[in-house]
Amino acid sequence: MRRLILNADDLGLAAETNEGIERAHREGVLTAASLMTGEAGFEEGVRVARANPGLAVGLHLTLTDGVPTLPAAQLPSLTQRNGRFRDDMAGMGLTLAVSREARAELAAEVAAQMARFAETGLPCDHVNAHKHYHLHPNIAAALIRAAAAAGMRCLRLPWEPGTLVRAIEAEAPGTGEWAIRPWCRFLRRRAARHGLVAPDRVVGLAWSGHFTADRLLGVLPHLPDGVTELYFHPATAGGFSGSAPGYDYPGELAALIDPRVAEALAGTPRGGYAAMLLPNAA
């Protein structure tokens, strides 16, 4: 059977994302969201989660382009002078690969973000990473170990079948599927050994920040059986602190509240990660 997760990243980033995610859930088809623990909108994001118990909320682990949960002074290998995480993902990835100290900082920050989420009292539906940085081997290893130790059961593995996207737009940009698919297969096996499961595929990578209603309506009939995560970045406006240049945040919100989308999804099981991936769990 086909089951869908409609997830929004960046809950807790800013007032605009928090309001957009709440509207996309209350007025539209959004079923899940991923919470950032170090950003300015964190407390308001927690309020949104508590006010909407039907929204499955997980941890959006942030290790680049964001604010750490631990003091930056405790993370010298991972942060800049301004106290934010480093934005040179390739350079920071190399640091993690060669530096034992950096890996220790990574483990401490992952634990801190998980602890801050736990302090909210919210059930943690899933875990994923900002900018899919958990594709890095050291980050993946740290995340999987910490998630399993915390009792989490679900995570995102960001593989998008190019055939699905090209069925709608033949000229859609590639997402490195040739490399990501085998790596995600490896990570899926590794996660399974720790009791973690992931959706079969993710849709929205090629259209990140531009997942319009027409694209969503176009791809829905092509989705195969199994669990598909469709991921979005809804917000009421762009231009806020931490926003991605060029992203059409209101356009993605419009897609999620479009009545045509709700009609197209009628009768299709949809929910959070755990509800779709572990439907028989107690």
Side-chain angles (χ1 to χ4, degrees):
M1 179 183 294
R2 186 174 71 164
R3 303 188 299 278
L4 304 182
I5 303 162
L6 292 101
N7 186 72
D9 283 0
D10 301 346
L11 180 64
L13 176 58
E16 292 85 350
T17 60
N18 292 337
E19 182 180 353
I21 288 170
E22 186 165 35
R23 284 192 58 195
H25 175 64
R26 290 194 173 196
E27 303 173 24
V29 297
L30 190 73
T31 61
S34 303
L35 177 67
M36 306 171 88
T37 64
E39 302 301 325
F42 170 70
E43 296 295 342
E44 177 62 16
V46 172
R47 186 208 64 77
V48 168
R50 289 174 175 161
N52 296 277
L55 184 68
V57 176
L59 173 64
H60 196 45
L61 182 72
T62 304
L63 296 166
T64 187
D65 187 29
V67 180
T69 295
L70 289 174
Q74 297 181 27
L75 307 168
S77 303
L78 310 183
T79 56
Q80 308 173 67
R81 290 182 179 179
N82 62 8
R84 292 176 61 85
F85 283 118
R86 291 169 55 177
D87 293 328
D88 60 325
M89 293 174 66
M92 183 171 153
L94 179 60
T95 300
L96 288 169
V98 302
S99 170
R100 182 178 301 175
E101 292 79 8
R103 292 193 294 274
E105 294 172 26
L106 167 67
E109 176 62 20
V110 171
Q113 291 189 32
M114 290 189 172
R116 190 168 193 197
F117 189 105
E119 288 168 2
T120 69
L122 296 168
C124 192
D125 176 67
H126 60 270
V127 62
N128 54 45
H130 191 46
K131 295 192 171 182
H132 314 298
Y133 208 7
H134 60 306
L135 287 176
H136 186 284
N138 295 110
I139 297 174
L143 175 59
I144 289 171
R145 285 195 302 267
M152 298 179 186
R153 296 291 310 280
C154 306
L155 80 163
R156 170 192 291 159
L157 293 177
W159 167 64
E160 179 174 64
T163 53
L164 284 176
V165 177
R166 290 190 293 272
I168 312 306
E169 293 179 0
E171 302 303 319
T175 57
E177 179 188 5
W178 62 272
I180 292 175
R181 185 176 190 180
W183 181 238
C184 282
R185 283 176 174 167
F186 171 80
L187 292 179
R188 187 181 300 275
R189 293 192 296 270
R190 185 170 190 169
R193 291 197 294 270
H194 289 80
L196 291 156
V197 294
D200 297 301
R201 63 198 67 84
V202 175
V203 175
L205 304 178
W207 298 323
S208 187
H210 302 275
F211 204 160
T212 63
D214 286 342
R215 284 169 168 164
L216 180 52
L217 288 165
V219 80
L220 285 176
H222 295 275
L223 297 179
D225 287 346
V227 180
T228 300
E229 178 189 355
L230 301 115
Y231 102 114
F232 301 85
H233 298 84
T236 53
F240 52 86
S241 178
S243 62
Y247 269 30
D248 182 10
Y249 291 95
E252 296 212 353
L253 171 58
L256 289 162
I257 62 176
D258 192 310
R260 297 175 299 163
V261 171
E263 182 178 357
L265 288 172
T268 301
R270 54 189 173 91
Y273 281 67
M276 296 296 98
L277 290 165
L278 304 165
N280 299 319

